[in-house]
Amino acid sequence: MGKLAIISVAIAALSVLFGERLASLPCLSLLQLFAACNVTLCLNSTGLKFPGLPSSDEPGKIYTLDLKDPNLKPVELRMPRNFDLESFNPHGISVYTDPSDDTIYLFVVNHPQFESQIEIFKYVADGSSLMHLKTIKHELLHSVNDVVAVGVESFYATNDHYFSNNLLKTLEILLLMPWTNVVFYSPKEVKVVSDGYHFANGINMSPDQRYIYVANIFNHSVNVLEKKKDNTLTPVKSVPLGSLCDNIEVDPETGDLWLGCHINAKKLFLFDPKDPPGSEIIRIQNILSDEPVVTQVYTDDGNVLMGSSVATVYGGKLLIGTVFHKALCCDLK
């Protein structure tokens, strides 16, 4: 199989892509929106069921969106028969392309019965389907939020809670205890490689694969860590953002970080449609420099977009995903 450019977007719900039309700025059409894109496919997960947040009874699904298709019609990937679809509750996702043969692997955080495990699939491009290869469970992967793949069966993952008990989880957040962590997994070893986070959330990697970025959500910051040969992570810096940043996407060309953020955590978890949670998108340029440039690219009070959780760019266009609402595409210029 030839090379296929795929961007993984760790979106909890892109419902507008699959049940409605994309929300866009009035001056844009869908054809114009992606006319200059160099990316072929965008992978999206939907159907997250998370305690305290709105959700549907539909099982989780994985879709692809061909950004060169003028109709922007999402395609649901066929799941294998040997996989339990009824309990599929996808959260963070990551894509790894094997450099030896261009095989594409999809890593999905799954919460069946609100437990945590990682599913590894092989992407079958010609058949628009996924082949389930492995389910990974481990005592150190007890409350996984997001994952970034670094090999065919290896990855870094964030745990967003220290406790398993729901009452203690709530207390942990209320007291803002810095007890969550990042875990490295491979078939040979599993270990905690970074800790001390106030709800470790999104995780991603620099284009040169030297640095790992972690959203320290209740500390209102992003942590930068250097990846060592033994897969341990050494702290480099913490970049304050003044917002509750959820997932991290990295521009493969510029290395810029794009973050979907929550303006008000109380409005997100105590959802009131009359007073909805807002959305904010932040861009970080030159994050490794002494003076990173932090820019608020988009903000809304919730009337247009509720609970932005992720953002990524395609040729001057911005795609924003949310926890349970719709998606928004707009022109960065």
Side-chain angles (χ1 to χ4, degrees):
M1 180 177 65
K3 289 188 176 180
L4 182 65
I6 291 187
I7 292 291
S8 66
V9 183
I11 298 178
L14 277 175
S15 60
V16 71
L17 288 178
F18 314 122
E20 307 171 28
R21 297 294 289 175
L22 272 169
S24 61
L25 296 182
C27 60
L28 300 176
S29 71
L30 296 179
L31 180 61
Q32 292 173 329
L33 202 56
F34 294 108
C37 284
N38 296 318
V39 179
T40 303
L41 290 177
C42 179
L43 282 170
N44 313 283
S45 67
T46 70
L48 174 67
K49 298 168 183 62
F50 195 87
L53 296 178
S55 64
S56 71
D57 294 329
E58 292 291 319
K61 298 177 182 179
I62 303 293
Y63 290 84
T64 61
L65 185 66
D66 186 347
L67 303 182
K68 293 182 179 179
D69 177 5
N71 296 319
L72 285 180
K73 184 179 180 180
V75 176
E76 180 183 348
L77 291 178
R78 293 196 303 273
M79 301 293 282
R81 293 182 179 180
N82 65 337
F83 186 75
D84 183 6
L85 277 176
E86 292 300 317
S87 67
F88 189 38
N89 187 12
H91 201 170
I93 67 175
S94 181
V95 169
Y96 178 78
T97 302
D98 189 342
S100 66
D101 59 7
D102 293 328
T103 300
I104 297 167
Y105 297 90
L106 176 64
F107 291 63
V108 182
V109 178
N110 186 16
H111 298 298
Q113 290 78 48
F114 299 109
E115 299 295 326
S116 284
Q117 58 195 51
I118 308 295
E119 314 290 354
I120 302 180
F121 298 92
K122 178 181 176 181
Y123 174 68
V124 184
D126 294 341
S128 296
S129 62
L130 293 173
M131 179 187 300
H132 186 245
L133 301 178
K134 190 173 184 178
T135 295
I136 295 173
K137 300 180 183 180
H138 193 276
E139 60 183 7
L140 290 181
L141 299 169
H142 62 276
S143 185
V144 182
N145 186 295
D146 198 13
V147 59
V148 58
V150 294
V152 173
E153 290 188 42
S154 56
F155 56 84
Y156 291 93
T158 55
N159 282 309
D160 56 22
H161 286 85
Y162 177 83
F163 293 110
S164 298
N165 178 274
N166 286 332
L167 179 60
L168 292 177
K169 281 184 175 182
T170 302
L171 184 62
E172 177 186 342
I173 291 178
L174 291 175
L175 296 177
L176 295 179
M177 304 306 295
W179 291 347
T180 63
N181 58 30
V182 178
V183 173
F184 173 77
Y185 176 92
S186 77
K188 295 182 179 180
E189 63 175 346
V190 187
K191 56 188 178 183
V192 174
V193 290
S194 183
D195 56 16
Y197 294 89
H198 296 83
F199 198 103
N201 202 308
I203 185 169
N204 217 318
M205 185 166 54
S206 62
D208 61 8
Q209 302 182 9
R210 291 182 57 196
Y211 298 94
I212 297 292
Y213 307 124
V214 180
N216 195 355
I217 189 167
F218 288 125
N219 193 50
H220 305 91
S221 64
V222 166
N223 286 34
V224 181
L225 306 111
E226 187 173 8
K227 183 169 159 292
K228 299 299 184 179
K229 290 183 179 180
D230 62 356
N231 299 306
T232 57
L233 300 177
T234 301
V236 175
K237 64 163 64 176
S238 176
V239 180
L241 300 174
S243 188
L244 297 112
C245 292
D246 198 325
N247 289 294
I248 304 169
E249 292 299 319
V250 180
D251 187 317
E253 296 182 0
T254 66
D256 295 349
L257 276 64
W258 291 86
L259 302 106
C261 305
H262 306 294
I263 299 173
N264 188 311
K266 182 179 178 181
K267 287 186 178 183
L268 180 68
F269 288 102
L270 300 177
F271 178 70
D272 179 359
K274 297 180 180 180
D275 187 21
S279 294
E280 182 180 26
I281 302 302
I282 289 177
R283 177 189 190 184
I284 306 178
Q285 298 169 279
N286 303 318
I287 192 169
L288 297 173
S289 69
D290 292 335
E291 297 183 1
V293 179
V294 179
T295 306
Q296 183 191 66
V297 178
Y298 174 87
T299 185
D300 179 69
D301 61 5
N303 287 321
V304 174
L305 200 66
M306 303 181 197
S308 56
S309 61
V310 67
T312 193
V313 290
Y314 305 102
K317 311 298 177 180
L318 176 66
L319 171 63
I320 305 171
T322 63
V323 179
F324 55 83
H325 196 212
K326 58 188 177 181
L328 176 69
C329 284
C330 54
D331 191 337
L332 284 172
K333 298 178 181 179

